[in-house]
Amino acid sequence: MHHIGNACTSGAEQSRQVWDGSGIHFLPKPRLQGGKDYTSQKALRGGGGVRDAMAESLPLEMLTYILSFLPLSDQKEASLVSRAWYCAAQNALRETNVRYNIPVSSASLPAIKNLGLRGISCISLTDLDGSPTSHQVLQSVAHHMGPHLQSLCLGGGSPTEASFVALILGCPVLRILDLSGCNSLFTSGKLLSQPEMAQSVRRALSGLRELNLAGLRDLADLSFNQLSSCTPSLERLSLAYCHLTFELGPARGSIGPQDSSTSQFSFRNLLRFVKERAGRLHALDLSGTGLPPEALHALGQVTGLQLQELSLHSCRELSTEAVATLCRQQPGLTSLDLSGCSELTDGALLAVSRGLRHLRCLSLGKLRRLTDAGCAALGGLQELQSLNMAECCLVSGKELAQALGSVHRAPPHLVSLSLAFCSSLKDASVLSVIPALGPSLRVLDLSSCVTLTNRTVQAICTYLTHLSVLRLAWCKELRDWGLLGLREPREEPAQKPQPHPELEHQLPDLKHLSPEPQGPSLLMLRALRELDLTACSKLTDASLAKVLQFPQLRQLSLSLLPALTDMGLVAVARGCPSLEHLALSHCTCLSDEGWAQAANSWPRLQHLNLSSCSRLTEQTLDTIGQACKQLRVLDIAMCSGINMAAVRRFQAQLPQVTCIQSRFVGGADLTLTL
């Protein structure tokens, strides 16, 4: 679900999630042996032979500052070096963009106390319900963490009204509150109906800046007014996918709490709220509310309202004229999401370009009527940083290349570009776009652009060497020689690759590939953190084993690659040891022998998808259980060689695994099961 706080973030999480064995945080205590351990010696030797004593001699503040620059998983590894590094890593994780996920159970109580002592300020409570255990956990959070808690997420939970109020009263410095999907709080319509209680909650929430009420089916005017009246400093509000009712006729007077409906949430009431808060409200998410053009016009013309971020995702009734009027009314917008507004045409993009000169984030996904002519207007958005045009099936990229490379345009500042599912995109236009993107680009999504070939890949490797995220899923024309940077071979291998009977350390036969270089290989993208090659079915071990050598890669998808064998798996494991998310579904050539050698290279693995890998057996489960101690999510659905008894043993071996997808394991007959 789209969140207004993430409107300007694309390809990177705005808040990072932290876990340990109980789901709280992941930094284990240092494994010390006589004051040192193997990890400590290995890490420090890797730093140039520096002695352990030198690391210990650095002030804690300096170590904390140094570790704050590392990715989350690297901070975890650093915490194992020594006790001093452990303390420094704990301090580094106090930054506000780290969210701790706390499962609601009695086992979490000691960890909550520990997090409170460390001054953690951003948490998310999962599995929250109305049970006594949940009430006890909320009490503990309020007591130990409440005084310094700034961001609280209860999304999807079912707390009681009494326990929710008690928690809020213990959190006097909250800045962000997420109640998305918490329908239990709004079902009765009596939340904060007592004046004394509402006054106390208002004092506690006096500094709240952001409120997320997305997906509340029972939100009504009265309950919204009661809650919003307790948030006088609110700047950002999400009502995405709430049920709004619209009265298109003239309103009879203003709506106050005394005459509001208790059973429905009306746009008339929302408009009253916006008028009252116009001077402070900067971000609004009305995605999926069915907002009609008349309502958008009324919202945009509110006196004093100066929106910076507006999300209208899937408001399908909006017209091009309504968007043009909005751009005139709210010229200060820096982020606008119009994805899924299917009635919009090229004129909407032209109006955005003319009216929103300071726009930085623009999402136009699923605009089926948008064409190349509209893309020409993008040249006027000189401050644009994030552009999403996914599923714009009529966009071929010709005008986009000219707009981004216009001589009248400022130097490109694009950080993120998504052209996924643009079925009209061809090599020729993409080859024109890529040089115009500039070195600032970090995220590029070309998933399901099925006609793109190796020429596009080699252009990416030539011009976009600073990419951190590259998605090429379902680009079925990609071949080994393109990833390797070689000239196109004169003939292709006749036989389909078969699983290698014995693992070897050398690469598969490359004689069918020309040794003459055509361009740089995928190895040029040294900054990659995420790579998606799902269903690039013509790729084989010949390229994957050679180019997938990214020590810092965190997320990799090689699903639906029928030619990936054990030998390729082992080579990828050695080349990408920092993987946390790995997808290998429907890789039918992988076997237990490959995992026996690969698993030990992935100690950081947290999410693993092996669904429909038919040759795997319970031996692979045992191997993974011994090597991947940080695993949280495992998908082994439709693995015919694995039975439920093996799954239960695996769960006992790794109780911290929170989700195991095991549908139809053991060769279940799908026709009978379904």
Side-chain angles (χ1 to χ4, degrees):
M1 185 172 295
H2 185 74
H3 191 293
I4 58 178
N6 294 337
C8 289
T9 303
S10 181
E13 295 181 352
Q14 192 175 41
S15 62
R16 295 183 286 177
Q17 309 289 320
V18 185
W19 299 79
D20 74 349
S22 61
I24 309 299
H25 59 91
F26 71 76
L27 290 177
K29 293 183 178 179
R31 300 170 298 187
L32 300 180
Q33 299 176 357
K36 303 175 184 178
D37 65 359
Y38 171 75
T39 310
S40 171
Q41 298 169 20
K42 181 178 179 181
L44 294 180
R45 286 171 187 162
V50 183
R51 296 180 180 274
D52 292 350
M54 181 174 292
E56 297 288 348
S57 67
L58 291 175
L60 181 61
E61 295 80 7
M62 184 177 293
L63 278 174
T64 300
Y65 179 73
I66 293 172
L67 295 183
S68 68
F69 288 94
L70 297 178
L72 223 55
S73 52
D74 288 341
Q75 290 185 23
K76 172 191 172 180
E77 297 299 320
S79 72
L80 301 176
V81 170
S82 66
R83 191 169 298 279
W85 283 46
Y86 172 75
C87 294
Q90 297 283 329
N91 290 339
L93 283 171
R94 287 179 181 172
E95 54 189 318
T96 57
N97 66 334
V98 176
R99 173 182 293 175
Y100 286 74
N101 291 317
I102 304 178
V104 175
S105 70
S106 56
S108 300
L109 295 175
I112 291 173
K113 182 178 180 180
N114 179 53
L115 292 173
L117 293 173
R118 290 173 48 202
I120 298 304
S121 62
C122 181
I123 65 170
S124 175
L125 298 176
T126 60
D127 305 319
L128 186 62
D129 55 26
S131 65
T133 299
S134 289
H135 182 67
Q136 185 181 16
V137 168
L138 293 183
Q139 283 184 320
S140 180
V141 169
H143 177 71
H144 295 290
M145 307 182 69
H148 42 74
L149 199 61
Q150 297 186 27
S151 177
L152 173 63
C153 176
L154 306 179
S158 302
T160 63
E161 295 178 20
S163 61
F164 167 73
V165 170
L167 173 62
I168 294 301
L169 293 179
C171 304
V173 295
L174 269 183
R175 296 295 179 266
I176 301 174
L177 178 59
D178 185 346
L179 300 178
S180 58
C182 294
N183 288 289
S184 63
L185 293 176
F186 301 91
T187 301
S188 68
K190 298 180 180 180
L191 180 66
L192 304 177
S193 58
Q194 299 178 7
E196 298 83 2
M197 181 182 297
Q199 187 175 2
S200 299
V201 171
R202 179 183 173 88
R203 286 195 295 267
L205 297 181
S206 61
L208 195 73
R209 300 291 188 270
E210 180 173 338
L211 179 62
N212 187 351
L213 301 177
L216 295 178
R217 62 176 180 269
D218 296 321
L219 187 64
D221 285 347
L222 184 59
S223 55
F224 174 78
N225 293 340
Q226 289 167 344
L227 179 58
S228 62
S229 66
C230 296
T231 60
S233 302
L234 200 64
E235 298 175 354
R236 310 167 68 87
L237 174 65
S238 175
L239 296 168
Y241 298 95
C242 290
H243 180 65
L244 268 175
T245 60
F246 298 94
E247 299 176 7
L248 301 183
R252 295 182 179 179
S254 60
I255 299 179
Q258 68 280 3
D259 59 353
S260 295
S261 168
T262 59
S263 61
Q264 61 184 6
F265 185 35
S266 66
F267 177 75
R268 187 158 58 107
N269 187 59
L270 173 62
L271 192 61
R272 175 200 57 79
F273 168 80
V274 172
K275 290 177 179 179
E276 290 179 355
R277 307 293 183 92
R280 183 177 288 273
L281 195 63
H282 297 315
L284 192 58
D285 189 346
L286 297 175
S287 299
T289 58
L291 195 73
E294 298 87 348
L296 181 60
H297 176 74
L299 183 68
Q301 68 179 1
V302 170
T303 303
L305 182 64
Q306 296 181 350
L307 288 176
Q308 297 175 6
E309 301 176 22
L310 179 61
S311 180
L312 302 171
H313 190 288
S314 297
C315 292
R316 295 182 175 86
E317 295 184 26
L318 291 183
S319 63
T320 296
E321 293 74 18
V323 172
T325 301
L326 173 71
C327 293
R328 292 191 297 269
Q329 295 169 332
Q330 298 293 324
L333 281 170
T334 60
S335 176
L336 180 61
D337 187 349
L338 297 173
S339 296
C341 300
S342 52
E343 295 301 311
L344 300 185
T345 63
D346 292 335
L349 187 48
L350 181 60
V352 168
S353 177
R354 290 175 175 174
L356 306 180
R357 293 293 182 174
H358 301 291
L359 199 65
R360 293 197 293 269
C361 302
L362 178 60
S363 186
L364 303 170
K366 298 184 179 181
L367 300 190
R368 304 300 175 87
R369 302 174 66 181
L370 191 66
T371 70
D372 286 328
C375 293
L378 288 170
L381 299 176
Q382 299 189 6
E383 299 180 19
L384 196 62
Q385 297 179 8
S386 175
L387 176 61
N388 177 12
M389 301 185 71
E391 298 187 61
C392 294
C393 55
L394 298 181
V395 172
S396 70
K398 295 179 181 179
E399 296 296 335
L400 179 62
Q402 295 182 12
L404 295 178
S406 171
V407 294
H408 302 293
R409 179 181 168 84
H413 299 292
L414 268 185
V415 176
S416 175
L417 174 62
S418 176
L419 296 171
F421 298 91
C422 291
S423 54
S424 299
L425 213 60
K426 309 294 182 185
D427 269 338
S429 55
V430 175
L431 291 174
S432 300
V433 170
I434 288 175
L437 294 175
S440 61
L441 196 72
R442 295 294 180 270
V443 179
L444 179 61
D445 192 344
L446 297 175
S447 301
S448 293
C449 297
V450 294
T451 63
L452 298 184
T453 71
N454 300 282
R455 297 177 62 202
T456 290
V457 173
Q458 292 184 346
I460 291 172
C461 298
T462 300
Y463 295 100
L464 304 179
T465 56
H466 295 89
L467 279 180
S468 59
V469 176
L470 177 59
R471 302 186 182 112
L472 298 171
W474 295 91
C475 294
K476 295 185 176 183
E477 296 304 313
L478 300 187
R479 298 173 181 265
D480 290 327
W481 61 268
L483 268 61
L484 291 167
L486 303 178
R487 291 187 182 277
E488 185 173 2
R490 297 180 180 178
E491 55 182 303
E492 296 293 333
Q495 70 280 7
K496 177 182 177 181
Q498 300 295 325
H500 206 282
E502 296 181 1
L503 295 182
E504 300 177 4
H505 297 293
Q506 68 271 17
L507 292 175
D509 186 11
L510 301 177
K511 292 180 180 179
H512 66 280
L513 297 179
S514 169
E516 299 181 26
Q518 173 72 21
S521 72
L522 198 68
L523 287 171
M524 293 298 294
L525 308 183
R526 302 310 303 169
L528 271 187
R529 297 297 182 269
E530 177 185 337
L531 177 63
D532 190 348
L533 296 174
T534 299
C536 297
S537 54
K538 296 180 180 179
L539 298 179
T540 72
D541 292 347
S543 62
L544 299 175
K546 193 171 182 65
V547 301
L548 293 186
Q549 299 179 26
F550 301 104
Q552 302 304 318
L553 196 68
R554 299 294 190 267
Q555 188 165 332
L556 175 65
S557 178
L558 300 176
S559 295
L560 291 162
L561 299 191
L564 178 64
T565 70
D566 288 339
M567 184 163 50
L569 177 69
V570 174
V572 171
R574 293 169 180 169
C576 306
S578 300
L579 286 182
E580 298 171 0
H581 295 246
L582 176 61
L584 296 169
S585 66
H586 294 84
C587 292
T588 54
C589 290
L590 300 183
S591 71
D592 295 334
E593 289 76 12
W595 271 101
Q597 295 197 33
N600 287 327
S601 296
W602 286 320
R604 299 183 180 182
L605 210 56
Q606 298 179 21
H607 294 250
L608 177 60
N609 187 347
L610 297 175
S611 61
S612 297
C613 292
S614 55
R615 300 184 69 231
L616 300 182
T617 71
E618 60 187 63
Q619 181 180 338
T620 289
L621 277 188
D622 293 338
T623 299
I624 293 172
Q626 295 172 11
C628 306
K629 298 296 186 181
Q630 294 188 42
L631 198 66
R632 299 294 178 268
V633 177
L634 175 66
D635 191 341
I636 49 173
M638 293 177 281
C639 289
S640 56
I642 299 176
N643 55 44
M644 283 305 300
V647 174
R648 286 190 287 269
R649 287 197 304 271
F650 179 81
Q651 287 179 305
Q653 184 180 5
L654 287 181
Q656 75 275 14
V657 178
T658 57
C659 179
I660 298 181
Q661 296 289 345
S662 54
R663 308 176 306 279
F664 313 124
V665 296
D669 189 334
L670 302 188
T671 59
L672 295 178
T673 308
L674 296 175

